[in-house]
Amino acid sequence: MQFSLRWLLGGVAFIAIACVSLRYASDLLCTVLAASLFAFLMTAVLGALYASRERRRFWAGCAIVGWAYILRATDKTGSSFEKSAFHSRFLTHGAPASRFCHPL
């Protein structure tokens, strides 16, 4: 498997943005990340429906796993995705130096 320099740079930039967003979390950043997650999942649904045969499996896998995560991460009482997903015990206790969307 070969990686181009462009893809390597993109991966490093993605990891850097993820680390910064965990360190300096705010309500605006959480809203932007949640909106981009939902946009990606809707793109995955469209890709699973309309992509070529080779790419359809990839998009279907992204859609199934992504929506399963959303269903699992949201509370059954109707609370928002941000509150339930970012308040999990692992995130709160796993990185105590970080401040997440809605601190307890």
Side-chain angles (χ1 to χ4, degrees):
M1 178 182 280
Q2 291 183 341
F3 294 103
S4 69
L5 190 58
R6 182 181 302 165
W7 282 103
L8 185 62
L9 182 63
V12 170
F14 175 78
I15 292 171
I17 291 171
C19 289
V20 168
S21 67
L22 285 175
R23 179 68 178 118
Y24 302 106
S26 67
D27 288 337
L28 175 65
L29 183 61
C30 288
T31 303
V32 168
L33 290 176
S36 64
L37 172 66
F38 284 117
F40 174 76
L41 290 176
M42 293 307 296
T43 303
V45 169
L46 292 175
L49 293 174
Y50 299 114
S52 65
R53 187 168 179 87
E54 295 84 25
R55 294 180 182 236
R56 189 172 293 161
R57 291 180 188 151
F58 169 77
W59 287 114
C62 286
I64 290 169
V65 171
W67 285 110
Y69 170 74
I70 294 294
L71 290 175
R72 178 67 178 104
T74 53
D75 203 2
K76 301 300 183 231
T77 61
S79 67
S80 71
F81 168 73
E82 292 175 358
K83 287 183 180 178
S84 61
F86 291 107
H87 276 261
S88 70
R89 178 182 243 176
F90 174 74
L91 290 177
T92 304
H93 299 295
S98 299
R99 186 174 61 87
F100 291 95
C101 291
H102 304 282
L104 295 173

